Amino acid sequence: DAGITQSPRHKVTETGTPVTLRCHQTENHRYMYWYRQDPGHGLRLIHYSYGVKDTDKGEVSDGYSVSRSKTEDFLLTLESATSSQTSVYFCAISGQGNYGYTFGSGTRLTVV
Amino acid sequence: AQKVTQAQTEISVVEKEDVTLDCVYETRDTTYYLFWYKQPPSGELVFLIRRNSFDEQNEISGRYSWNFQKSTSSFNFTITASQVVDSAVYFCALSEAVWDNFNKFYFGSGTKLNVKP
């Protein structure tokens, strides 16, 4: 049991369409994060959550929104996908007794 | 502002060679945490080590060792007797002071290590 799952694993979408990525955890951790990974940039924080309905922006939040209606789910939405949002998206969790992050397996998103 | 620099974009070595991956960080915080993660070709991110700013002891775990030097703001990672399975992208990351295990990470751009047989 991975404790954290992302869906979908791969997605191809067209420019201008909305896209939602899902992160689901079974660890009951308080904190959840969305990062994007791009060559030459490492991972950059998009948004994070410190509890149900409590979210905040990271360093590359433009064009993204998030929601967390339950402890276990953290959704990342691209309101109108652009080619610059083609990336690999990682969800992560942290909480009591967890040093550092546990990462999901990633979602590879291609915007054409 | 926090920043992590991994100047080595890609390194190639032959199996059994030792290799050091460099990591230099910038922060104004007096309390902070440094991490190394491994990303093998399969794509997942694997936690390797966490070090807090008050603990400058070097650490060794099998073939892996880490050298933390606050004087030079560096947290370098050495693999001794490298193996093909060590081929991966390695990320160094800096976290602001942690409370209640909340971590806001700043990642370096990563170093791709190729270990050839």
mmCIF file of all heavy atoms in Angstrom, chain A residues 30-31 33 35 37 40 42-43 48 90 94-101, chain B residues 35 37 39 43 45 47 50 91 99-105 107-109:
data_model
loop_
_atom_site.group_PDB
_atom_site.id
_atom_site.type_symbol
_atom_site.label_atom_id
_atom_site.label_comp_id
_atom_site.label_asym_id
_atom_site.label_seq_id
_atom_site.Cartn_x
_atom_site.Cartn_y
_atom_site.Cartn_z
ATOM 1 N N ARG A 30 -1.701 15.748 7.650
ATOM 2 C CA ARG A 30 -2.332 17.056 7.598
ATOM 3 C C ARG A 30 -1.941 17.841 6.334
ATOM 4 O O ARG A 30 -2.739 18.574 5.781
ATOM 5 C CB ARG A 30 -1.916 17.844 8.843
ATOM 6 C CG ARG A 30 -2.468 19.247 8.890
ATOM 7 C CD ARG A 30 -2.059 19.969 10.164
ATOM 8 N NE ARG A 30 -2.543 21.344 10.152
ATOM 9 C CZ ARG A 30 -2.267 22.235 11.095
ATOM 10 N NH1 ARG A 30 -1.502 21.881 12.130
ATOM 11 N NH2 ARG A 30 -2.735 23.458 11.018
ATOM 12 N N TYR A 31 -0.682 17.719 5.927
ATOM 13 C CA TYR A 31 -0.170 18.589 4.875
ATOM 14 C C TYR A 31 -0.075 17.867 3.533
ATOM 15 O O TYR A 31 0.403 16.733 3.455
ATOM 16 C CB TYR A 31 1.217 19.110 5.263
ATOM 17 C CG TYR A 31 1.219 19.817 6.590
ATOM 18 C CD1 TYR A 31 1.775 19.210 7.714
ATOM 19 C CD2 TYR A 31 0.637 21.060 6.744
ATOM 20 C CE1 TYR A 31 1.763 19.835 8.941
ATOM 21 C CE2 TYR A 31 0.610 21.700 7.972
ATOM 22 C CZ TYR A 31 1.168 21.085 9.068
ATOM 23 O OH TYR A 31 1.141 21.701 10.288
ATOM 24 N N TYR A 33 0.790 18.685 -0.813
ATOM 25 C CA TYR A 33 1.489 19.627 -1.688
ATOM 26 C C TYR A 33 1.372 19.164 -3.141
ATOM 27 O O TYR A 33 1.316 17.969 -3.423
ATOM 28 C CB TYR A 33 2.992 19.667 -1.346
ATOM 29 C CG TYR A 33 3.334 19.727 0.128
ATOM 30 C CD1 TYR A 33 3.289 18.579 0.921
ATOM 31 C CD2 TYR A 33 3.712 20.928 0.727
ATOM 32 C CE1 TYR A 33 3.613 18.627 2.271
ATOM 33 C CE2 TYR A 33 4.050 20.983 2.068
ATOM 34 C CZ TYR A 33 3.995 19.833 2.841
ATOM 35 O OH TYR A 33 4.323 19.888 4.181
ATOM 36 N N TYR A 35 3.583 19.750 -6.683
ATOM 37 C CA TYR A 35 4.790 20.251 -7.331
ATOM 38 C C TYR A 35 4.731 19.917 -8.813
ATOM 39 O O TYR A 35 4.076 18.958 -9.215
ATOM 40 C CB TYR A 35 6.047 19.574 -6.767
ATOM 41 C CG TYR A 35 6.502 20.093 -5.424
ATOM 42 C CD1 TYR A 35 5.922 19.623 -4.247
ATOM 43 C CD2 TYR A 35 7.512 21.032 -5.328
ATOM 44 C CE1 TYR A 35 6.341 20.097 -3.017
ATOM 45 C CE2 TYR A 35 7.949 21.516 -4.092
ATOM 46 C CZ TYR A 35 7.353 21.040 -2.947
ATOM 47 O OH TYR A 35 7.777 21.501 -1.724
ATOM 48 N N GLN A 37 7.517 19.214 -12.058
ATOM 49 C CA GLN A 37 8.916 18.934 -12.367
ATOM 50 C C GLN A 37 9.179 19.223 -13.825
ATOM 51 O O GLN A 37 8.524 18.654 -14.711
ATOM 52 C CB GLN A 37 9.276 17.484 -12.068
ATOM 53 C CG GLN A 37 10.744 17.171 -12.349
ATOM 54 C CD GLN A 37 11.115 15.733 -12.089
ATOM 55 O OE1 GLN A 37 10.270 14.889 -11.795
ATOM 56 N NE2 GLN A 37 12.395 15.434 -12.185
ATOM 57 N N GLY A 40 15.750 21.208 -15.851
ATOM 58 C CA GLY A 40 16.479 22.423 -15.527
ATOM 59 C C GLY A 40 15.935 23.202 -14.352
ATOM 60 O O GLY A 40 16.551 24.175 -13.902
ATOM 61 N N GLY A 42 14.184 21.388 -11.591
ATOM 62 C CA GLY A 42 13.888 20.528 -10.451
ATOM 63 C C GLY A 42 12.395 20.506 -10.217
ATOM 64 O O GLY A 42 11.589 20.539 -11.149
ATOM 65 N N LEU A 43 12.010 20.471 -8.950
ATOM 66 C CA LEU A 43 10.595 20.504 -8.587
ATOM 67 C C LEU A 43 10.274 21.868 -7.991
ATOM 68 O O LEU A 43 11.030 22.392 -7.170
ATOM 69 C CB LEU A 43 10.270 19.414 -7.562
ATOM 70 C CG LEU A 43 10.146 17.995 -8.076
ATOM 71 C CD1 LEU A 43 11.508 17.353 -8.262
ATOM 72 C CD2 LEU A 43 9.287 17.150 -7.144
ATOM 73 N N TYR A 48 -0.110 24.321 -1.761
ATOM 74 C CA TYR A 48 -0.086 23.368 -0.664
ATOM 75 C C TYR A 48 -1.317 23.551 0.219
ATOM 76 O O TYR A 48 -2.013 24.569 0.121
ATOM 77 C CB TYR A 48 1.207 23.486 0.160
ATOM 78 C CG TYR A 48 1.438 24.845 0.783
ATOM 79 C CD1 TYR A 48 1.047 25.115 2.090
ATOM 80 C CD2 TYR A 48 2.093 25.848 0.068
ATOM 81 C CE1 TYR A 48 1.286 26.350 2.667
ATOM 82 C CE2 TYR A 48 2.326 27.086 0.637
ATOM 83 C CZ TYR A 48 1.929 27.337 1.929
ATOM 84 O OH TYR A 48 2.164 28.561 2.498
ATOM 85 N N PHE A 90 3.791 16.157 -9.294
ATOM 86 C CA PHE A 90 3.930 15.286 -8.132
ATOM 87 C C PHE A 90 3.118 15.841 -6.972
ATOM 88 O O PHE A 90 3.167 17.035 -6.667
ATOM 89 C CB PHE A 90 5.390 15.174 -7.694
ATOM 90 C CG PHE A 90 6.223 14.276 -8.555
ATOM 91 C CD1 PHE A 90 6.992 14.791 -9.577
ATOM 92 C CD2 PHE A 90 6.224 12.905 -8.325
ATOM 93 C CE1 PHE A 90 7.757 13.961 -10.378
ATOM 94 C CE2 PHE A 90 6.997 12.064 -9.121
ATOM 95 C CZ PHE A 90 7.757 12.593 -10.148
ATOM 96 N N SER A 94 3.004 15.243 4.110
ATOM 97 C CA SER A 94 3.870 15.201 5.287
ATOM 98 C C SER A 94 2.992 15.373 6.524
ATOM 99 O O SER A 94 1.902 15.957 6.454
ATOM 100 C CB SER A 94 4.946 16.289 5.248
ATOM 101 O OG SER A 94 4.391 17.588 5.386
ATOM 102 N N GLY A 95 3.461 14.841 7.616
ATOM 103 C CA GLY A 95 2.669 14.942 8.825
ATOM 104 C C GLY A 95 3.374 14.303 9.981
ATOM 105 O O GLY A 95 4.570 14.025 9.918
ATOM 106 N N GLN A 96 2.634 14.028 11.027
ATOM 107 C CA GLN A 96 3.202 13.504 12.256
ATOM 108 C C GLN A 96 4.027 12.264 12.006
ATOM 109 O O GLN A 96 3.570 11.321 11.367
ATOM 110 C CB GLN A 96 2.058 13.171 13.233
ATOM 111 C CG GLN A 96 2.508 12.936 14.656
ATOM 112 C CD GLN A 96 3.055 14.198 15.295
ATOM 113 O OE1 GLN A 96 2.646 15.299 14.958
ATOM 114 N NE2 GLN A 96 3.989 14.043 16.197
ATOM 115 N N GLY A 97 5.272 12.313 12.504
ATOM 116 C CA GLY A 97 6.132 11.151 12.377
ATOM 117 C C GLY A 97 6.714 10.951 11.002
ATOM 118 O O GLY A 97 7.370 9.951 10.735
ATOM 119 N N ASN A 98 6.515 11.884 10.123
ATOM 120 C CA ASN A 98 7.001 11.736 8.753
ATOM 121 C C ASN A 98 8.063 12.783 8.492
ATOM 122 O O ASN A 98 7.773 13.967 8.474
ATOM 123 C CB ASN A 98 5.824 11.896 7.781
ATOM 124 C CG ASN A 98 6.247 11.925 6.331
ATOM 125 O OD1 ASN A 98 6.237 12.964 5.688
ATOM 126 N ND2 ASN A 98 6.626 10.771 5.817
ATOM 127 N N TYR A 99 9.292 12.366 8.332
ATOM 128 C CA TYR A 99 10.365 13.316 8.094
ATOM 129 C C TYR A 99 10.504 13.538 6.606
ATOM 130 O O TYR A 99 10.784 12.630 5.866
ATOM 131 C CB TYR A 99 11.661 12.782 8.691
ATOM 132 C CG TYR A 99 11.608 12.695 10.187
ATOM 133 C CD1 TYR A 99 11.466 11.480 10.825
ATOM 134 C CD2 TYR A 99 11.690 13.843 10.964
ATOM 135 C CE1 TYR A 99 11.415 11.410 12.206
ATOM 136 C CE2 TYR A 99 11.632 13.777 12.334
ATOM 137 C CZ TYR A 99 11.495 12.570 12.951
ATOM 138 O OH TYR A 99 11.434 12.496 14.312
ATOM 139 N N GLY A 100 10.325 14.780 6.193
ATOM 140 C CA GLY A 100 10.352 15.045 4.772
ATOM 141 C C GLY A 100 9.026 14.654 4.160
ATOM 142 O O GLY A 100 8.000 14.608 4.828
ATOM 143 N N TYR A 101 9.047 14.377 2.900
ATOM 144 C CA TYR A 101 7.828 14.080 2.166
ATOM 145 C C TYR A 101 7.715 12.595 1.827
ATOM 146 O O TYR A 101 8.706 11.900 1.710
ATOM 147 C CB TYR A 101 7.834 14.790 0.811
ATOM 148 C CG TYR A 101 7.629 16.275 0.807
ATOM 149 C CD1 TYR A 101 7.885 16.993 -0.348
ATOM 150 C CD2 TYR A 101 7.173 16.967 1.907
ATOM 151 C CE1 TYR A 101 7.710 18.355 -0.406
ATOM 152 C CE2 TYR A 101 6.993 18.337 1.862
ATOM 153 C CZ TYR A 101 7.257 19.026 0.703
ATOM 154 O OH TYR A 101 7.084 20.371 0.639
ATOM 155 N N PHE B 35 17.852 17.929 2.430
ATOM 156 C CA PHE B 35 17.435 16.587 2.021
ATOM 157 C C PHE B 35 18.135 16.199 0.723
ATOM 158 O O PHE B 35 18.513 17.046 -0.076
ATOM 159 C CB PHE B 35 15.925 16.542 1.754
ATOM 160 C CG PHE B 35 15.055 16.839 2.940
ATOM 161 C CD1 PHE B 35 14.845 18.145 3.361
ATOM 162 C CD2 PHE B 35 14.414 15.810 3.613
ATOM 163 C CE1 PHE B 35 14.035 18.426 4.450
ATOM 164 C CE2 PHE B 35 13.587 16.088 4.696
ATOM 165 C CZ PHE B 35 13.409 17.392 5.109
ATOM 166 N N TYR B 37 17.085 13.431 -2.429
ATOM 167 C CA TYR B 37 16.140 12.482 -2.989
ATOM 168 C C TYR B 37 16.740 11.877 -4.254
ATOM 169 O O TYR B 37 17.485 12.528 -4.989
ATOM 170 C CB TYR B 37 14.817 13.150 -3.368
ATOM 171 C CG TYR B 37 13.907 13.415 -2.200
ATOM 172 C CD1 TYR B 37 14.037 14.579 -1.443
ATOM 173 C CD2 TYR B 37 12.918 12.502 -1.845
ATOM 174 C CE1 TYR B 37 13.205 14.807 -0.365
ATOM 175 C CE2 TYR B 37 12.084 12.745 -0.771
ATOM 176 C CZ TYR B 37 12.232 13.891 -0.032
ATOM 177 O OH TYR B 37 11.414 14.124 1.030
ATOM 178 N N GLN B 39 15.770 9.934 -7.895
ATOM 179 C CA GLN B 39 14.704 9.654 -8.855
ATOM 180 C C GLN B 39 15.247 8.698 -9.911
ATOM 181 O O GLN B 39 15.897 9.105 -10.863
ATOM 182 C CB GLN B 39 14.183 10.934 -9.516
ATOM 183 C CG GLN B 39 12.974 10.694 -10.402
ATOM 184 C CD GLN B 39 12.420 11.983 -10.982
ATOM 185 O OE1 GLN B 39 13.158 12.827 -11.471
ATOM 186 N NE2 GLN B 39 11.093 12.133 -10.939
ATOM 187 N N GLY B 43 10.910 6.949 -12.299
ATOM 188 C CA GLY B 43 10.250 8.238 -12.061
ATOM 189 C C GLY B 43 9.840 8.566 -10.644
ATOM 190 O O GLY B 43 9.538 9.725 -10.355
ATOM 191 N N LEU B 45 10.130 9.350 -6.612
ATOM 192 C CA LEU B 45 11.099 10.094 -5.798
ATOM 193 C C LEU B 45 11.316 9.344 -4.487
ATOM 194 O O LEU B 45 10.383 9.095 -3.730
ATOM 195 C CB LEU B 45 10.598 11.500 -5.543
ATOM 196 C CG LEU B 45 10.657 12.400 -6.774
ATOM 197 C CD1 LEU B 45 9.622 13.501 -6.701
ATOM 198 C CD2 LEU B 45 12.057 12.986 -6.926
ATOM 199 N N PHE B 47 13.273 9.104 -0.859
ATOM 200 C CA PHE B 47 13.966 9.837 0.198
ATOM 201 C C PHE B 47 15.266 9.127 0.549
ATOM 202 O O PHE B 47 15.298 7.922 0.749
ATOM 203 C CB PHE B 47 13.045 9.919 1.421
ATOM 204 C CG PHE B 47 13.701 10.376 2.682
ATOM 205 C CD1 PHE B 47 13.919 11.720 2.902
ATOM 206 C CD2 PHE B 47 14.081 9.469 3.659
ATOM 207 C CE1 PHE B 47 14.511 12.157 4.073
ATOM 208 C CE2 PHE B 47 14.675 9.887 4.838
ATOM 209 C CZ PHE B 47 14.888 11.242 5.050
ATOM 210 N N ARG B 50 17.830 13.246 5.563
ATOM 211 C CA ARG B 50 17.413 14.531 6.090
ATOM 212 C C ARG B 50 18.448 14.961 7.127
ATOM 213 O O ARG B 50 18.868 14.169 7.954
ATOM 214 C CB ARG B 50 16.045 14.413 6.743
ATOM 215 C CG ARG B 50 15.564 15.610 7.544
ATOM 216 C CD ARG B 50 14.282 15.219 8.236
ATOM 217 N NE ARG B 50 13.603 16.312 8.907
ATOM 218 C CZ ARG B 50 13.655 16.527 10.202
ATOM 219 N NH1 ARG B 50 14.376 15.752 10.992
ATOM 220 N NH2 ARG B 50 12.977 17.515 10.753
ATOM 221 N N PHE B 91 18.298 14.784 -6.402
ATOM 222 C CA PHE B 91 17.893 16.138 -6.057
ATOM 223 C C PHE B 91 18.295 16.465 -4.635
ATOM 224 O O PHE B 91 18.082 15.671 -3.707
ATOM 225 C CB PHE B 91 16.365 16.294 -6.165
ATOM 226 C CG PHE B 91 15.846 16.249 -7.562
ATOM 227 C CD1 PHE B 91 15.284 15.088 -8.067
ATOM 228 C CD2 PHE B 91 15.905 17.373 -8.374
ATOM 229 C CE1 PHE B 91 14.795 15.041 -9.357
ATOM 230 C CE2 PHE B 91 15.419 17.336 -9.670
ATOM 231 C CZ PHE B 91 14.867 16.160 -10.165
ATOM 232 N N TRP B 99 7.677 23.019 11.374
ATOM 233 C CA TRP B 99 6.830 22.929 12.562
ATOM 234 C C TRP B 99 5.731 21.943 12.239
ATOM 235 O O TRP B 99 5.198 21.945 11.145
ATOM 236 C CB TRP B 99 6.262 24.298 12.944
ATOM 237 C CG TRP B 99 5.817 25.138 11.799
ATOM 238 C CD1 TRP B 99 6.578 25.988 11.049
ATOM 239 C CD2 TRP B 99 4.484 25.207 11.249
ATOM 240 N NE1 TRP B 99 5.809 26.594 10.085
ATOM 241 C CE2 TRP B 99 4.523 26.138 10.178
ATOM 242 C CE3 TRP B 99 3.279 24.582 11.559
ATOM 243 C CZ2 TRP B 99 3.401 26.452 9.434
ATOM 244 C CZ3 TRP B 99 2.153 24.902 10.808
ATOM 245 C CH2 TRP B 99 2.231 25.824 9.759
ATOM 246 N N ASP B 100 5.503 21.076 13.150
ATOM 247 C CA ASP B 100 4.480 20.065 12.975
ATOM 248 C C ASP B 100 4.672 19.293 11.670
ATOM 249 O O ASP B 100 3.723 18.879 11.020
ATOM 250 C CB ASP B 100 3.085 20.712 12.990
ATOM 251 C CG ASP B 100 1.976 19.681 13.100
ATOM 252 O OD1 ASP B 100 2.217 18.603 13.670
ATOM 253 O OD2 ASP B 100 0.865 19.952 12.609
ATOM 254 N N ASN B 101 5.936 19.139 11.259
ATOM 255 C CA ASN B 101 6.263 18.408 10.039
ATOM 256 C C ASN B 101 5.707 19.039 8.777
ATOM 257 O O ASN B 101 5.482 18.360 7.782
ATOM 258 C CB ASN B 101 5.822 16.953 10.139
ATOM 259 C CG ASN B 101 6.810 16.153 10.967
ATOM 260 O OD1 ASN B 101 8.007 16.242 10.762
ATOM 261 N ND2 ASN B 101 6.321 15.397 11.919
ATOM 262 N N PHE B 102 5.468 20.334 8.791
ATOM 263 C CA PHE B 102 5.160 21.057 7.571
ATOM 264 C C PHE B 102 6.473 21.412 6.895
ATOM 265 O O PHE B 102 7.373 21.949 7.519
ATOM 266 C CB PHE B 102 4.380 22.334 7.859
ATOM 267 C CG PHE B 102 4.222 23.219 6.647
ATOM 268 C CD1 PHE B 102 3.349 22.856 5.634
ATOM 269 C CD2 PHE B 102 4.951 24.396 6.511
ATOM 270 C CE1 PHE B 102 3.197 23.655 4.512
ATOM 271 C CE2 PHE B 102 4.807 25.192 5.397
ATOM 272 C CZ PHE B 102 3.929 24.827 4.388
ATOM 273 N N ASN B 103 6.621 21.045 5.621
ATOM 274 C CA ASN B 103 7.847 21.316 4.886
ATOM 275 C C ASN B 103 7.539 22.069 3.615
ATOM 276 O O ASN B 103 6.733 21.623 2.824
ATOM 277 C CB ASN B 103 8.529 20.002 4.477
ATOM 278 C CG ASN B 103 9.102 19.247 5.653
ATOM 279 O OD1 ASN B 103 10.169 19.548 6.141
ATOM 280 N ND2 ASN B 103 8.363 18.256 6.119
ATOM 281 N N LYS B 104 8.221 23.188 3.423
ATOM 282 C CA LYS B 104 8.108 23.908 2.158
ATOM 283 C C LYS B 104 9.471 23.776 1.507
ATOM 284 O O LYS B 104 10.433 24.388 1.958
ATOM 285 C CB LYS B 104 7.760 25.354 2.431
ATOM 286 C CG LYS B 104 7.218 26.117 1.241
ATOM 287 C CD LYS B 104 6.731 27.486 1.734
ATOM 288 C CE LYS B 104 6.218 28.331 0.599
ATOM 289 N NZ LYS B 104 5.783 29.659 1.107
ATOM 290 N N PHE B 105 9.538 22.954 0.478
ATOM 291 C CA PHE B 105 10.826 22.581 -0.087
ATOM 292 C C PHE B 105 11.246 23.500 -1.223
ATOM 293 O O PHE B 105 10.427 23.964 -2.009
ATOM 294 C CB PHE B 105 10.753 21.169 -0.664
ATOM 295 C CG PHE B 105 10.977 20.081 0.342
ATOM 296 C CD1 PHE B 105 10.738 20.272 1.690
ATOM 297 C CD2 PHE B 105 11.436 18.843 -0.063
ATOM 298 C CE1 PHE B 105 10.941 19.254 2.603
ATOM 299 C CE2 PHE B 105 11.641 17.822 0.842
ATOM 300 C CZ PHE B 105 11.405 18.027 2.165
ATOM 301 N N PHE B 107 13.916 22.907 -4.227
ATOM 302 C CA PHE B 107 14.725 21.867 -4.843
ATOM 303 C C PHE B 107 15.789 22.464 -5.752
ATOM 304 O O PHE B 107 15.580 23.488 -6.401
ATOM 305 C CB PHE B 107 13.852 20.933 -5.689
ATOM 306 C CG PHE B 107 13.068 19.942 -4.892
ATOM 307 C CD1 PHE B 107 11.844 20.288 -4.351
ATOM 308 C CD2 PHE B 107 13.547 18.663 -4.689
ATOM 309 C CE1 PHE B 107 11.099 19.376 -3.618
ATOM 310 C CE2 PHE B 107 12.817 17.733 -3.965
ATOM 311 C CZ PHE B 107 11.596 18.098 -3.424
ATOM 312 N N GLY B 108 16.923 21.785 -5.798
ATOM 313 C CA GLY B 108 17.887 22.063 -6.848
ATOM 314 C C GLY B 108 17.381 21.492 -8.166
ATOM 315 O O GLY B 108 16.358 20.802 -8.202
ATOM 316 N N SER B 109 18.095 21.789 -9.219
ATOM 317 C CA SER B 109 17.653 21.356 -10.551
ATOM 318 C C SER B 109 17.996 19.902 -10.836
ATOM 319 O O SER B 109 17.596 19.358 -11.860
ATOM 320 C CB SER B 109 18.258 22.248 -11.630
ATOM 321 O OG SER B 109 19.661 22.296 -11.495
#
